[in-house]
Amino acid sequence: MTALPLPSTAPTRKLLSLSLAVALCGAAASAWAQAPTVEQLQQRLERLERLAGVSGGAPADGAGLADLDQRLRILERRLELQEEERVATAKAAPRVAVDHKGAAFTSGDGNYELRLRGLLQGDARVFLGNSSQNDTFLLRTARPTLEGSLGRLLAYRFTPEFAGDSASIVDAYADLRFDPAYTVRVGRFTSPVGLERLQSSSALVDVERALASELAPNRDLGVQLQGEVAKGKFSYALGVFNGAVDGRDAATGNPDDDVEFAGRVFFEPLKGTGSAWAGLGFGLGASSGEKHGAGSSFLPRYRTPGQATFFSYRGTVLADGSHRRWSPQGWFYRDGFGLQGEYIVSRQEVARDGRRAALQHRAWQATASYVLSGEDAGYRGVTPSRPFGSNGGLGAFELTARYGVLDIDDDAFPFYADPAASASRVRAWTLGANWYLTANLRLATNYLHSRFDAASGGAALPAEKAVFSRLQVSF
């Protein structure tokens, strides 16, 4: 008996099964009937065999009920085998999915995956008053991302940056996923100290990051142990890195022979419950290391929310000793309301012309937001429940407000920093509005206002006033 491919799918098989059931009932009744009834059943069975692609069987003359029953069993088993083969083939076939999160290519067993995502941000910036900065249109971010998995153990992410004058690498790391409670990350990624630094730029409620992020390290190269336990109620990260200056990415290689240890613990004690405080999270980030050298790879420059430099060290100052940070942080989200805040201290030992000092800079920020259209606020952004243009939907609307302070150590002036070119303190507030047309498209507008306190022996810098607008496409 030779098997051929089944020429139809599940509906045809249901028809065959129904016909076979009728045939069985007819065969049982035919024991009391005349011989032609058996012949008719045999002819019907032959037609079913041809429809199923099965050949062979007993000759039409002299066939009895036992012959028909045997052929019927063979036919049923053949159909079962063909159905099992069809299901196995479907499971082994790769799957392709395209939605608002990007494109995904997944192997049949789900162990191998490639996802394509992207982020594009274009800004219009207008500075008001006597600003030294120019009004401009700016391509702020242009980042395609490749991420996925290579088996159940290994995951990866690769993100280049094409905005700016030259291309660079933003993220390039691999995760060894032994267990959700302990995963090892190796490569270039965001240091775990700052709360807002760890937040994707696509999910920020304001156009630029707050002042507190100027004291937190950004991306660094190293290895990190991380994980979540208790259904995500507790998460942690602990790693060793080359070491990054405040508010910036680390150099492509270690510029000295020192390393930096960084870590973070975060608690969401009521996550997943029906409590009004289910959206509460709080934690602590910290880092400790050594830095020895001069230049931008060792000492930072601090910027305002309008991206103007308001503090820098003199060119002859060296980073010469320990560099430590600590940052209590937290958030609270309930329905459309969101509140995020952090405080951070950066203590750096510096030297110049034989003199040494341990300078301690401080910053804090609080950001509040409210979604007017009824969607939930969250650390990972807002998704409109009624996208623009879909069944009369208008998207989601959000209002934001932020206040922050960055305080420079008074001992920095005048020996380590020029009071004529740097401020001792900046206080900044921002008001904003976001329109989430779809899950992939957002329009944002911010009004930024920063005021500066003069250092001893210097004059106050003029206030910074600006309007920033952003068109963001993400997937």
Side-chain angles (χ1 to χ4, degrees):
M1 185 174 293
T2 303
L4 301 173
L6 187 60
S8 56
T9 56
T12 301
R13 190 177 187 281
K14 291 181 179 179
L15 177 62
L16 291 175
S17 300
L18 180 61
S19 300
L20 291 172
V22 173
L24 281 173
C25 293
S30 67
W32 304 92
Q34 300 294 326
T37 303
V38 176
E39 294 174 355
Q40 292 173 358
L41 290 176
Q42 181 177 347
Q43 293 172 0
R44 189 171 184 178
L45 179 58
E46 289 173 351
R47 288 196 298 270
L48 291 175
E49 288 174 334
R50 287 194 296 271
L51 182 60
V54 178
S55 61
D61 296 335
L65 289 178
D67 298 319
L68 295 178
D69 180 69
Q70 180 65 20
R71 289 170 61 184
L72 183 59
R73 292 177 184 274
I74 293 173
L75 179 58
E76 286 180 330
R77 180 55 182 160
R78 184 66 63 186
L79 291 172
E80 289 175 357
L81 292 174
Q82 292 181 0
E83 179 67 11
E84 291 173 1
E85 182 179 0
R86 185 190 68 80
V87 171
T89 301
K91 288 183 177 180
R95 300 187 297 272
V96 178
V98 179
D99 56 23
H100 68 278
K101 296 181 180 180
F105 306 86
T106 309
S107 64
D109 58 9
N111 290 333
Y112 296 86
E113 185 177 29
L114 171 63
R115 294 190 298 272
L116 174 62
R117 304 177 62 186
L119 175 62
L120 184 67
Q121 295 173 330
D123 292 0
R125 301 185 173 188
V126 178
F127 294 91
L128 310 176
N130 298 322
S131 175
S132 61
Q133 299 193 76
N134 297 326
D135 300 343
T136 184
F137 293 105
L138 175 68
L139 181 60
R140 185 68 171 89
T141 302
R143 298 176 183 174
T145 294
L146 295 175
E147 61 183 10
S149 59
L150 298 172
R152 297 187 180 276
L153 178 63
L154 181 63
Y156 61 89
R157 180 183 176 97
F158 176 73
T159 303
E161 173 65 86
F162 294 111
D165 296 330
S166 61
S168 61
I169 302 299
V170 177
D171 291 316
Y173 62 79
D175 286 343
L176 298 176
R177 303 180 296 184
F178 299 105
D179 187 270
Y182 44 91
T183 295
V184 176
R185 176 167 292 180
V186 181
R188 180 183 178 89
F189 51 93
T190 303
S191 179
V193 178
L195 178 65
E196 192 187 48
R197 279 292 174 193
L198 289 168
Q199 188 175 22
S200 170
S201 61
S202 65
L204 296 175
V205 298
D206 291 316
V207 172
E208 293 292 347
R209 299 184 188 273
L211 287 170
S213 292
E214 286 297 296
L215 300 187
N218 197 19
R219 288 175 172 83
D220 208 340
L221 286 92
V223 56
Q224 176 175 283
L225 177 66
Q226 61 189 40
E228 294 184 352
V229 297
K231 298 181 179 179
K233 294 180 179 180
F234 171 71
S235 60
Y236 72 94
L238 179 64
V240 56
F241 303 89
N242 284 345
V245 299
D246 293 346
R248 301 295 180 271
D249 294 339
T252 55
N254 194 353
D256 55 17
D257 201 28
D258 301 311
V259 297
E260 184 171 84
F261 297 93
R264 177 177 182 259
V265 292
F266 202 80
F267 300 87
E268 297 176 77
L270 299 176
K271 182 179 181 179
T273 69
S275 170
W277 297 95
L280 175 66
F282 54 89
L284 178 68
S287 67
S288 179
E290 298 277 331
K291 288 185 174 67
H292 296 87
S296 59
S297 295
F298 299 93
L299 291 172
R301 296 182 178 184
Y302 298 135
R303 298 175 301 182
T304 67
Q307 304 303 289
T309 299
F310 75 93
F311 173 84
S312 60
Y313 289 95
R314 294 183 183 273
T316 54
V317 177
L318 305 175
D320 191 30
S322 68
H323 185 196
R324 297 175 182 173
R325 308 179 186 94
W326 61 278
S327 174
Q329 53 198 241
W331 68 49
F332 177 69
Y333 295 102
R334 178 170 173 77
D335 300 327
F337 176 74
L339 179 64
Q340 178 180 309
E342 60 186 313
Y343 175 83
I344 185 167
V345 176
S346 177
R347 181 183 181 276
Q348 173 74 64
E349 292 183 347
V350 297
R352 179 192 174 203
D353 297 337
R355 292 176 56 180
R356 296 175 53 83
L359 301 180
Q360 189 164 271
H361 311 313
R362 300 177 176 86
W364 65 271
Q365 67 95 3
T367 302
S369 62
Y370 188 75
V371 184
L372 301 173
S373 47
E375 289 84 355
D376 290 339
Y379 184 71
R380 291 176 175 81
V382 175
T383 300
S385 58
R386 298 182 62 202
F388 183 83
S390 177
N391 299 321
L394 295 177
F397 298 90
E398 180 182 44
L399 298 179
T400 72
R402 181 174 70 194
Y403 188 80
V405 176
L406 199 162
D407 193 1
I408 302 297
D409 194 323
D410 290 338
D411 291 341
F413 303 99
F415 190 71
Y416 299 102
D418 184 358
S422 297
S424 65
R425 179 185 293 111
V426 58
R427 288 169 284 183
W429 56 270
T430 301
L431 296 177
N434 294 314
W435 181 16
Y436 301 87
L437 286 83
T438 69
N440 306 105
L441 180 61
R442 179 177 71 139
L443 296 176
T445 299
N446 285 177
Y447 174 75
L448 307 87
H449 190 113
S450 300
R451 293 181 295 123
F452 305 92
D453 292 349
S456 177
L461 300 176
E464 178 186 73
K465 303 175 184 178
V467 176
F468 283 10
S469 297
R470 171 169 291 175
L471 172 65
Q472 174 177 293
V473 177
S474 60
F475 58 90

